[in-house]
Amino acid sequence: NDNKFKVARRIIGASGANMKEIVRKSGDVAKLRLRGKGSGFAERDTGEESQEPLQLCISCPTQRGYDIARKLAEELLLTVYDEYETYCSDHNLDVDTPTIRMTERHLSGEASGAQGSGGGGPSGKRGNRRGQRKPKAAPAPKDEDVDRGEPPEGAPGVEEIEKLISERNACRKRGEYSKADEIRDDLKDRGVVLSDEKGAHGDGLTVTSWRYWHA
């Protein structure tokens, strides 16, 4: 992350463009944060930048949103790594090819989701890295502990419900309350009732619970 290559800036993008694009494609549910050396992010406990290796952290309340964000983040890092190799080649510099090192933690229950962080470390070897470190997708969090009732005839599936809740939350953030109410009313007409936690902050699936109901 020297003053010439500026790896942190390349990851984040101009005015956060790369991060915003990943969040948008995840359905506006993923959260991303660049931490560690050269990130410029001050840790809450110390008020200073962590001295840990630079890492991109992802958290998401849905497995689907997390999988999308993780895949896009991996592609972004691979692109930056390729740019770094080209930069070193153009400037006649030796390069230790970085590799992605990833850790993941998956949660279960009504506030289910996934968290992961990935960063680069030198491998000491040049060459084609694509296909070397693609992490296996972790199994989806179990949801059997959440009692959502029996789905009525014609009710939407879980994936569609979560997608609509995320869209509704995005509408509310943009001030499109009429559209958000339409989504809520449509779900209710199809046998799904939503419940927003008062005073809560976060993404739609964090602050909004749902269950099936019979008219």
CSV table of all heavy atoms in Angstrom, one decimal, residues 122-170:
chain,number,residue,atom,x,y,z
A,122,PRO,N,1.8,-12.6,0.8
A,122,PRO,CA,2.7,-13.1,-0.3
A,122,PRO,C,2.8,-14.6,-0.3
A,122,PRO,O,2.9,-15.2,0.7
A,122,PRO,CB,4.0,-12.4,0.1
A,122,PRO,CG,3.9,-12.2,1.5
A,122,PRO,CD,2.5,-12.0,1.9
A,123,SER,N,2.9,-15.1,-1.5
A,123,SER,CA,3.2,-16.5,-1.7
A,123,SER,C,4.6,-16.8,-2.0
A,123,SER,O,5.1,-17.9,-2.0
A,123,SER,CB,2.3,-17.1,-2.8
A,123,SER,OG,2.7,-16.6,-4.0
A,124,GLY,N,5.4,-15.7,-2.4
A,124,GLY,CA,6.8,-15.9,-2.8
A,124,GLY,C,6.9,-16.5,-4.2
A,124,GLY,O,8.0,-17.0,-4.5
A,125,LYS,N,5.9,-16.5,-5.0
A,125,LYS,CA,6.0,-17.2,-6.2
A,125,LYS,C,5.1,-16.5,-7.3
A,125,LYS,O,4.0,-16.2,-7.0
A,125,LYS,CB,5.4,-18.6,-6.0
A,125,LYS,CG,5.7,-19.6,-7.2
A,125,LYS,CD,5.2,-20.9,-6.7
A,125,LYS,CE,5.4,-22.0,-7.7
A,125,LYS,NZ,4.9,-23.3,-7.2
A,126,ARG,N,5.6,-16.3,-8.4
A,126,ARG,CA,4.9,-15.6,-9.5
A,126,ARG,C,4.1,-16.7,-10.3
A,126,ARG,O,4.5,-17.8,-10.3
A,126,ARG,CB,5.8,-14.9,-10.4
A,126,ARG,CG,6.4,-13.6,-9.8
A,126,ARG,CD,7.1,-12.8,-10.9
A,126,ARG,NE,6.1,-12.4,-11.9
A,126,ARG,CZ,6.0,-11.1,-12.2
A,126,ARG,NH1,6.7,-10.2,-11.6
A,126,ARG,NH2,5.1,-10.8,-13.1
A,127,GLY,N,3.1,-16.2,-11.0
A,127,GLY,CA,2.4,-17.2,-11.8
A,127,GLY,C,0.9,-16.9,-11.8
A,127,GLY,O,0.4,-16.0,-11.1
A,128,ASN,N,0.2,-17.7,-12.5
A,128,ASN,CA,-1.3,-17.5,-12.6
A,128,ASN,C,-1.9,-18.0,-11.4
A,128,ASN,O,-1.8,-19.2,-11.0
A,128,ASN,CB,-1.8,-18.4,-13.8
A,128,ASN,CG,-3.2,-18.1,-14.1
A,128,ASN,OD1,-3.9,-17.4,-13.3
A,128,ASN,ND2,-3.8,-18.7,-15.1
A,129,ARG,N,-2.6,-17.1,-10.7
A,129,ARG,CA,-3.3,-17.5,-9.4
A,129,ARG,C,-4.7,-17.8,-9.5
A,129,ARG,O,-5.3,-18.3,-8.6
A,129,ARG,CB,-3.2,-16.3,-8.4
A,129,ARG,CG,-1.8,-15.8,-8.2
A,129,ARG,CD,-1.7,-14.6,-7.3
A,129,ARG,NE,-2.7,-13.6,-7.7
A,129,ARG,CZ,-2.6,-12.7,-8.7
A,129,ARG,NH1,-1.5,-12.7,-9.4
A,129,ARG,NH2,-3.5,-11.9,-8.9
A,130,ARG,N,-5.3,-17.5,-10.7
A,130,ARG,CA,-6.8,-17.8,-10.8
A,130,ARG,C,-7.0,-19.3,-10.7
A,130,ARG,O,-6.4,-20.1,-11.4
A,130,ARG,CB,-7.3,-17.3,-12.1
A,130,ARG,CG,-7.2,-15.7,-12.2
A,130,ARG,CD,-7.8,-15.2,-13.4
A,130,ARG,NE,-7.6,-13.7,-13.5
A,130,ARG,CZ,-8.3,-12.8,-12.9
A,130,ARG,NH1,-9.3,-13.2,-12.1
A,130,ARG,NH2,-8.1,-11.6,-13.0
A,131,GLY,N,-7.9,-19.7,-9.9
A,131,GLY,CA,-8.2,-21.1,-9.7
A,131,GLY,C,-7.4,-21.7,-8.5
A,131,GLY,O,-7.6,-22.9,-8.2
A,132,GLN,N,-6.5,-21.0,-7.9
A,132,GLN,CA,-5.7,-21.5,-6.9
A,132,GLN,C,-6.3,-21.4,-5.5
A,132,GLN,O,-6.2,-22.2,-4.7
A,132,GLN,CB,-4.3,-20.8,-6.8
A,132,GLN,CG,-3.3,-21.2,-7.8
A,132,GLN,CD,-2.0,-20.5,-7.6
A,132,GLN,OE1,-1.8,-19.8,-6.6
A,132,GLN,NE2,-1.1,-20.7,-8.5
A,133,ARG,N,-7.1,-20.4,-5.3
A,133,ARG,CA,-7.6,-20.1,-4.0
A,133,ARG,C,-9.1,-19.7,-3.9
A,133,ARG,O,-9.5,-18.9,-3.1
A,133,ARG,CB,-6.8,-19.0,-3.4
A,133,ARG,CG,-6.9,-17.7,-4.2
A,133,ARG,CD,-6.0,-16.6,-3.6
A,133,ARG,NE,-6.1,-15.4,-4.4
A,133,ARG,CZ,-5.5,-15.3,-5.6
A,133,ARG,NH1,-4.9,-16.2,-6.1
A,133,ARG,NH2,-5.6,-14.1,-6.2
A,134,LYS,N,-9.9,-20.3,-4.8
A,134,LYS,CA,-11.3,-20.0,-4.8
A,134,LYS,C,-11.9,-20.8,-3.6
A,134,LYS,O,-11.9,-22.0,-3.6
A,134,LYS,CB,-11.9,-20.5,-6.1
A,134,LYS,CG,-13.3,-19.8,-6.2
A,134,LYS,CD,-13.7,-19.8,-7.7
A,134,LYS,CE,-15.0,-19.0,-7.9
A,134,LYS,NZ,-15.3,-18.9,-9.2
A,135,PRO,N,-12.4,-20.1,-2.6
A,135,PRO,CA,-12.9,-20.8,-1.4
A,135,PRO,C,-14.2,-21.6,-1.7
A,135,PRO,O,-15.0,-21.1,-2.5
A,135,PRO,CB,-13.1,-19.7,-0.4
A,135,PRO,CG,-13.4,-18.5,-1.2
A,135,PRO,CD,-12.5,-18.7,-2.5
A,136,LYS,N,-14.4,-22.7,-1.0
A,136,LYS,CA,-15.7,-23.4,-1.1
A,136,LYS,C,-16.8,-22.6,-0.4
A,136,LYS,O,-16.6,-22.1,0.7
A,136,LYS,CB,-15.5,-24.8,-0.5
A,136,LYS,CG,-14.5,-25.7,-1.3
A,136,LYS,CD,-14.5,-27.0,-0.6
A,136,LYS,CE,-13.5,-27.9,-1.3
A,136,LYS,NZ,-13.4,-29.2,-0.7
A,137,ALA,N,-17.9,-22.7,-1.0
A,137,ALA,CA,-19.1,-22.0,-0.4
A,137,ALA,C,-19.5,-22.8,0.8
A,137,ALA,O,-19.6,-24.0,0.8
A,137,ALA,CB,-20.3,-21.9,-1.4
A,138,ALA,N,-19.7,-22.1,1.9
A,138,ALA,CA,-20.1,-22.7,3.2
A,138,ALA,C,-21.6,-23.0,3.1
A,138,ALA,O,-22.3,-22.4,2.4
A,138,ALA,CB,-19.8,-21.8,4.4
A,139,PRO,N,-22.0,-24.1,3.8
A,139,PRO,CA,-23.4,-24.4,3.8
A,139,PRO,C,-24.3,-23.3,4.3
A,139,PRO,O,-23.9,-22.6,5.2
A,139,PRO,CB,-23.5,-25.7,4.6
A,139,PRO,CG,-22.3,-25.6,5.5
A,139,PRO,CD,-21.3,-24.9,4.7
A,140,ALA,N,-25.5,-23.2,3.8
A,140,ALA,CA,-26.4,-22.1,4.2
A,140,ALA,C,-26.8,-22.3,5.7
A,140,ALA,O,-26.9,-23.5,6.2
A,140,ALA,CB,-27.7,-22.2,3.4
A,141,PRO,N,-27.0,-21.3,6.5
A,141,PRO,CA,-27.3,-21.4,7.9
A,141,PRO,C,-28.7,-22.1,8.0
A,141,PRO,O,-29.6,-21.9,7.3
A,141,PRO,CB,-27.4,-19.9,8.4
A,141,PRO,CG,-27.6,-19.1,7.1
A,141,PRO,CD,-26.9,-19.9,6.0
A,142,LYS,N,-28.8,-22.9,9.1
A,142,LYS,CA,-30.0,-23.6,9.4
A,142,LYS,C,-31.1,-22.6,9.9
A,142,LYS,O,-30.8,-21.7,10.7
A,142,LYS,CB,-29.8,-24.7,10.3
A,142,LYS,CG,-28.9,-25.8,9.8
A,142,LYS,CD,-28.6,-26.9,10.8
A,142,LYS,CE,-27.7,-28.0,10.2
A,142,LYS,NZ,-27.5,-29.1,11.2
A,143,ASP,N,-32.3,-22.9,9.5
A,143,ASP,CA,-33.4,-21.9,9.9
A,143,ASP,C,-34.5,-22.6,10.7
A,143,ASP,O,-35.6,-22.1,10.8
A,143,ASP,CB,-33.9,-21.3,8.6
A,143,ASP,CG,-34.6,-20.0,8.9
A,143,ASP,OD1,-34.2,-19.3,9.8
A,143,ASP,OD2,-35.6,-19.7,8.2
A,144,GLU,N,-34.2,-23.9,11.1
A,144,GLU,CA,-35.4,-24.7,11.7
A,144,GLU,C,-35.8,-24.2,13.0
A,144,GLU,O,-36.8,-24.5,13.5
A,144,GLU,CB,-35.0,-26.2,11.7
A,144,GLU,CG,-33.8,-26.5,12.6
A,144,GLU,CD,-32.5,-26.6,11.8
A,144,GLU,OE1,-32.5,-26.0,10.7
A,144,GLU,OE2,-31.6,-27.3,12.2
A,145,ASP,N,-34.9,-23.4,13.7
A,145,ASP,CA,-35.3,-22.9,15.0
A,145,ASP,C,-36.3,-21.7,15.0
A,145,ASP,O,-36.8,-21.3,16.0
A,145,ASP,CB,-34.0,-22.4,15.8
A,145,ASP,CG,-33.1,-23.6,16.1
A,145,ASP,OD1,-33.6,-24.7,16.2
A,145,ASP,OD2,-31.9,-23.4,16.2
A,146,VAL,N,-36.5,-21.2,13.8
A,146,VAL,CA,-37.5,-20.0,13.7
A,146,VAL,C,-38.8,-20.5,13.3
A,146,VAL,O,-39.0,-21.2,12.3
A,146,VAL,CB,-37.0,-19.1,12.6
A,146,VAL,CG1,-37.9,-17.9,12.5
A,146,VAL,CG2,-35.5,-18.6,12.9
A,147,ASP,N,-39.8,-20.3,14.1
A,147,ASP,CA,-41.2,-20.7,13.9
A,147,ASP,C,-41.9,-19.7,13.0
A,147,ASP,O,-42.3,-18.6,13.5
A,147,ASP,CB,-42.0,-20.9,15.2
A,147,ASP,CG,-43.4,-21.4,15.0
A,147,ASP,OD1,-43.7,-21.8,13.8
A,147,ASP,OD2,-44.2,-21.3,15.9
A,148,ARG,N,-42.1,-19.9,11.7
A,148,ARG,CA,-42.8,-19.0,10.8
A,148,ARG,C,-44.2,-19.5,10.5
A,148,ARG,O,-44.8,-18.9,9.6
A,148,ARG,CB,-41.9,-18.8,9.6
A,148,ARG,CG,-40.5,-18.4,9.8
A,148,ARG,CD,-39.8,-17.9,8.6
A,148,ARG,NE,-38.4,-17.6,8.7
A,148,ARG,CZ,-37.9,-16.5,9.3
A,148,ARG,NH1,-38.7,-15.5,9.7
A,148,ARG,NH2,-36.6,-16.3,9.3
A,149,GLY,N,-44.7,-20.5,11.1
A,149,GLY,CA,-46.0,-21.0,10.8
A,149,GLY,C,-46.0,-21.8,9.5
A,149,GLY,O,-45.0,-22.0,8.8
A,150,GLU,N,-47.2,-22.3,9.2
A,150,GLU,CA,-47.4,-23.1,8.0
A,150,GLU,C,-47.7,-22.2,6.8
A,150,GLU,O,-48.6,-21.3,6.9
A,150,GLU,CB,-48.5,-24.1,8.1
A,150,GLU,CG,-48.2,-25.2,9.1
A,150,GLU,CD,-47.0,-26.1,8.6
A,150,GLU,OE1,-47.0,-26.3,7.4
A,150,GLU,OE2,-46.2,-26.6,9.4
A,151,PRO,N,-47.0,-22.3,5.7
A,151,PRO,CA,-47.3,-21.5,4.5
A,151,PRO,C,-48.7,-21.8,3.9
A,151,PRO,O,-49.0,-22.9,3.7
A,151,PRO,CB,-46.2,-21.8,3.5
A,151,PRO,CG,-45.7,-23.2,3.9
A,151,PRO,CD,-45.9,-23.3,5.4
A,152,PRO,N,-49.5,-20.7,3.7
A,152,PRO,CA,-50.8,-21.0,3.1
A,152,PRO,C,-50.6,-21.3,1.6
A,152,PRO,O,-49.5,-21.1,1.0
A,152,PRO,CB,-51.5,-19.6,3.3
A,152,PRO,CG,-50.4,-18.6,3.4
A,152,PRO,CD,-49.3,-19.3,4.0
A,153,GLU,N,-51.6,-21.7,0.9
A,153,GLU,CA,-51.6,-22.0,-0.5
A,153,GLU,C,-51.3,-20.8,-1.3
A,153,GLU,O,-51.8,-19.7,-1.1
A,153,GLU,CB,-52.9,-22.6,-0.9
A,153,GLU,CG,-52.9,-23.1,-2.4
A,153,GLU,CD,-54.2,-23.7,-2.8
A,153,GLU,OE1,-55.1,-23.9,-1.9
A,153,GLU,OE2,-54.4,-24.0,-4.0
A,154,GLY,N,-50.3,-20.9,-2.2
A,154,GLY,CA,-49.9,-19.8,-3.0
A,154,GLY,C,-48.9,-18.8,-2.4
A,154,GLY,O,-48.6,-17.8,-3.0
A,155,ALA,N,-48.4,-19.1,-1.2
A,155,ALA,CA,-47.5,-18.2,-0.5
A,155,ALA,C,-46.1,-18.2,-1.2
A,155,ALA,O,-45.7,-19.3,-1.8
A,155,ALA,CB,-47.3,-18.6,0.9
A,156,PRO,N,-45.4,-17.1,-1.2
A,156,PRO,CA,-44.1,-17.1,-1.9
A,156,PRO,C,-43.1,-17.9,-1.0
A,156,PRO,O,-43.3,-18.1,0.2
A,156,PRO,CB,-43.7,-15.6,-1.9
A,156,PRO,CG,-44.5,-15.0,-0.8
A,156,PRO,CD,-45.8,-15.8,-0.7
A,157,GLY,N,-42.0,-18.3,-1.7
A,157,GLY,CA,-40.9,-19.1,-1.0
A,157,GLY,C,-40.0,-18.1,-0.2
A,157,GLY,O,-40.1,-16.9,-0.3
A,158,VAL,N,-39.2,-18.7,0.7
A,158,VAL,CA,-38.3,-18.0,1.6
A,158,VAL,C,-37.4,-17.0,0.8
A,158,VAL,O,-37.2,-15.9,1.2
A,158,VAL,CB,-37.5,-18.9,2.4
A,158,VAL,CG1,-36.4,-18.1,3.2
A,158,VAL,CG2,-38.4,-19.7,3.3
A,159,GLU,N,-36.8,-17.5,-0.3
A,159,GLU,CA,-35.9,-16.7,-1.1
A,159,GLU,C,-36.6,-15.4,-1.6
A,159,GLU,O,-36.0,-14.3,-1.6
A,159,GLU,CB,-35.3,-17.5,-2.2
A,159,GLU,CG,-34.2,-16.7,-3.0
A,159,GLU,CD,-33.5,-17.6,-4.0
A,159,GLU,OE1,-33.5,-18.8,-3.9
A,159,GLU,OE2,-32.9,-17.0,-4.9
A,160,GLU,N,-37.8,-15.6,-2.2
A,160,GLU,CA,-38.5,-14.4,-2.7
A,160,GLU,C,-38.9,-13.5,-1.6
A,160,GLU,O,-38.8,-12.3,-1.8
A,160,GLU,CB,-39.8,-14.9,-3.4
A,160,GLU,CG,-40.5,-13.8,-4.1
A,160,GLU,CD,-41.8,-14.2,-4.8
A,160,GLU,OE1,-42.1,-15.4,-4.9
A,160,GLU,OE2,-42.6,-13.3,-5.2
A,161,ILE,N,-39.3,-14.0,-0.4
A,161,ILE,CA,-39.7,-13.2,0.7
A,161,ILE,C,-38.5,-12.3,1.1
A,161,ILE,O,-38.6,-11.1,1.3
A,161,ILE,CB,-40.2,-14.0,1.9
A,161,ILE,CG1,-41.5,-14.7,1.5
A,161,ILE,CG2,-40.4,-13.2,3.1
A,161,ILE,CD1,-42.0,-15.8,2.5
A,162,GLU,N,-37.3,-13.0,1.3
A,162,GLU,CA,-36.2,-12.2,1.8
A,162,GLU,C,-35.7,-11.2,0.7
A,162,GLU,O,-35.3,-10.1,1.1
A,162,GLU,CB,-35.0,-13.2,2.0
A,162,GLU,CG,-35.3,-14.1,3.2
A,162,GLU,CD,-34.1,-15.0,3.6
A,162,GLU,OE1,-33.3,-15.2,2.7
A,162,GLU,OE2,-34.1,-15.5,4.7
A,163,LYS,N,-35.9,-11.5,-0.5
A,163,LYS,CA,-35.5,-10.5,-1.6
A,163,LYS,C,-36.5,-9.3,-1.5
A,163,LYS,O,-36.0,-8.2,-1.6
A,163,LYS,CB,-35.6,-11.2,-3.0
A,163,LYS,CG,-35.3,-10.2,-4.1
A,163,LYS,CD,-35.5,-10.9,-5.5
A,163,LYS,CE,-35.2,-10.0,-6.6
A,163,LYS,NZ,-35.4,-10.6,-7.9
A,164,LEU,N,-37.8,-9.6,-1.3
A,164,LEU,CA,-38.7,-8.5,-1.3
A,164,LEU,C,-38.5,-7.6,0.0
A,164,LEU,O,-38.7,-6.4,0.0
A,164,LEU,CB,-40.1,-9.0,-1.3
A,164,LEU,CG,-40.6,-9.6,-2.7
A,164,LEU,CD1,-41.9,-10.3,-2.6
A,164,LEU,CD2,-40.7,-8.5,-3.7
A,165,ILE,N,-38.1,-8.3,1.1
A,165,ILE,CA,-37.9,-7.5,2.3
A,165,ILE,C,-36.7,-6.6,2.1
A,165,ILE,O,-36.7,-5.4,2.5
A,165,ILE,CB,-37.6,-8.5,3.5
A,165,ILE,CG1,-38.9,-9.1,3.9
A,165,ILE,CG2,-37.0,-7.7,4.7
A,165,ILE,CD1,-38.7,-10.2,5.0
A,166,SER,N,-35.6,-7.1,1.4
A,166,SER,CA,-34.5,-6.3,1.1
A,166,SER,C,-34.8,-5.1,0.2
A,166,SER,O,-34.4,-4.0,0.4
A,166,SER,CB,-33.4,-7.1,0.5
A,166,SER,OG,-32.9,-8.1,1.4
A,167,GLU,N,-35.7,-5.4,-0.8
A,167,GLU,CA,-36.1,-4.3,-1.7
A,167,GLU,C,-36.9,-3.3,-0.9
A,167,GLU,O,-36.8,-2.1,-1.2
A,167,GLU,CB,-36.9,-4.9,-2.8
A,167,GLU,CG,-36.1,-5.7,-3.8
A,167,GLU,CD,-37.0,-6.3,-4.9
A,167,GLU,OE1,-38.2,-6.1,-4.9
A,167,GLU,OE2,-36.4,-7.1,-5.8
A,168,ARG,N,-37.7,-3.7,0.0
A,168,ARG,CA,-38.6,-2.8,0.8
A,168,ARG,C,-37.7,-1.9,1.6
A,168,ARG,O,-37.9,-0.7,1.7
A,168,ARG,CB,-39.5,-3.6,1.7
A,168,ARG,CG,-40.4,-2.8,2.6
A,168,ARG,CD,-41.4,-3.6,3.3
A,168,ARG,NE,-42.1,-2.9,4.3
A,168,ARG,CZ,-41.8,-2.9,5.6
A,168,ARG,NH1,-40.8,-3.6,6.1
A,168,ARG,NH2,-42.5,-2.2,6.5
A,169,ASN,N,-36.7,-2.5,2.2
A,169,ASN,CA,-35.8,-1.7,3.1
A,169,ASN,C,-35.0,-0.7,2.2
A,169,ASN,O,-34.8,0.5,2.7
A,169,ASN,CB,-34.7,-2.6,3.8
A,169,ASN,CG,-33.9,-1.9,4.8
A,169,ASN,OD1,-34.4,-1.3,5.7
A,169,ASN,ND2,-32.6,-2.0,4.6
A,170,ALA,N,-34.6,-1.1,1.0
A,170,ALA,CA,-33.9,-0.1,0.1
A,170,ALA,C,-34.8,1.0,-0.2
A,170,ALA,O,-34.4,2.2,-0.3
A,170,ALA,CB,-33.4,-0.8,-1.1
